[in-house]
Amino acid sequence: MKIFIDTADIDEITEAQQWGIVDGVTTNPSLIKKAVEKLKSAGDTIGMEAYIRKICKAVDGPVSLEVKGTTATELVKEAELLYNKFNHVNNNVVIKIPVNTAMKTGDEPFEGIKAIKALATRGIPVNTTLVMTATQALLAAKAGAAYVSPFLGRIDDYIRSRLGISHGKMDFFDSTITRLIEEEKRREKEGEVSSRYGEMAEVDYSDGGIYDGIELVESILKIYRAYDMKTKVIAASVRNAHQVRRVAEMGVDIATIPFAVIKEMVSHYKTEEGMRKFTEDVVEEYRQLFEDTGRQQ
Ligand code: G3P
């Protein structure tokens, strides 16, 4: 599995790159906004173009840059502009296009897909963003996207908030319990179980049959494998190391992971405790070995 870092913060990118496990970077307008705020508060006056060039140079792997328009014509024009401006820096630019740019009912829903098709035809690699359903991922692959990014964390947020489940931003969502409740509810309706859940009986515990973000990834992988589709799946909107493990077990191509979650992946209390103990147990005779590094015995 490849690991991308989900940030536009050059300090985080540079540090993570030095760890030797980062294969690419994904950005979006919100991450750029955060980076710009950090630069401003540090009094750094680097311009946007120079800053993005720095990001492209810092990584030997794909760097996703997002467009801002909503019509297919705007998306294609902006994608070409970004690609022409930055791809020559390190030959690693991928353009992020929202799968559907509609912001309300009635807006045209196929502008993203049309833009993906046009860009794929021109050989510009596209990372399809804001993917919340497997059918969106299917359409993006049909249009020729190089990547799709299902948003795990945001699907979990959506399902949990509809169910009134309170949670922290980075908490893992275990949908096993909601599935159990739903199953009970179904049996109750069939008269097998006495009434236990009251008004919850009408609640939908899933998002169109998807119970959490992990399952969204699973569904997309299943479809792509069934038709041997070449589009790579990037697990995105990742909030914790548990999600990374689950998508890695499924064989997802890539996970794009925030800096803090990559750090969480390497950490464990017992590893720290073990380090303290090993360090404490170094006897003098063993310690001396390391002082003789230049000398042959
Ligand atoms: O890669 C997509 C990501 O940046 C969105 O993450 O945590 O804002 O849902 P999040």
Side-chain angles (χ1 to χ4, degrees), residues 62-66 83 87 92-96 125-127 146-147:
V63 172
S64 289
L65 302 172
E66 190 158 336
Y83 195 76
N87 191 52
N92 58 353
V93 169
V94 171
I95 303 297
K96 250 183 165 180
V126 170
N127 175 359
Y147 305 92

Side-chain angles (χ1 to χ4, degrees), residues 6 26 28 31 96 129 149 151 153-154 157 169 236-239 256 258:
D6 195 24
T26 51
N28 62 39
L31 293 171
K96 250 183 165 180
T129 191
S149 292
F151 273 36
R154 292 196 195 184
D157 289 347
K169 185 175 180 200
S237 182
V238 165
R239 305 285 174 77
T256 187

Side-chain angles (χ1 to χ4, degrees), residues 44-76:
D44 191 328
T45 53
I46 187 172
M48 196 73 256
E49 284 201 29
Y51 188 73
I52 292 179
R53 276 200 299 273
K54 238 173 134 175
I55 294 181
C56 293
K57 267 193 216 145
V59 195
D60 281 325
V63 172
S64 289
L65 302 172
E66 190 158 336
V67 290
K68 60 166 187 54
T70 51
T71 67
T73 312
E74 284 166 356
L75 298 171
V76 171

Side-chain angles (χ1 to χ4, degrees), residues 195-208:
S195 179
R196 264 192 253 169
Y197 303 108
E199 73 244 20
M200 287 173 83
E202 295 315 315
V203 174
D204 183 356
Y205 289 80
S206 70
D207 180 31

Side-chain angles (χ1 to χ4, degrees), residues 5 33 35 42 45 59 71 74 85 115 117 137 140 143 217 225 245 257 278:
I5 182 162
K33 181 180 175 200
T45 53
V59 195
T71 67
E74 284 166 356
K85 237 187 227 295
K117 180 76 188 177
V217 172
R225 284 169 186 163
R245 172 171 70 80
I257 314 174
F278 287 156

Side-chain angles (χ1 to χ4, degrees), residues 151-196:
F151 273 36
L152 279 73
R154 292 196 195 184
I155 284 298
D156 287 355
D157 289 347
Y158 179 60
I159 294 174
R160 281 183 290 195
S161 76
R162 277 195 357 223
L163 295 175
I165 300 171
S166 61
H167 61 92
K169 185 175 180 200
M170 309 309 265
D171 292 347
F172 179 71
F173 174 39
D174 185 351
S175 66
T176 322
I177 186 69
T178 51
R179 285 166 187 280
L180 285 174
I181 295 172
E182 193 178 56
E183 176 58 18
E184 286 280 284
K185 189 185 79 179
R186 192 186 58 73
R187 282 195 275 137
E188 176 188 314
K189 257 192 175 159
E190 289 168 3
E192 292 174 29
V193 181
S194 62
S195 179
R196 264 192 253 169

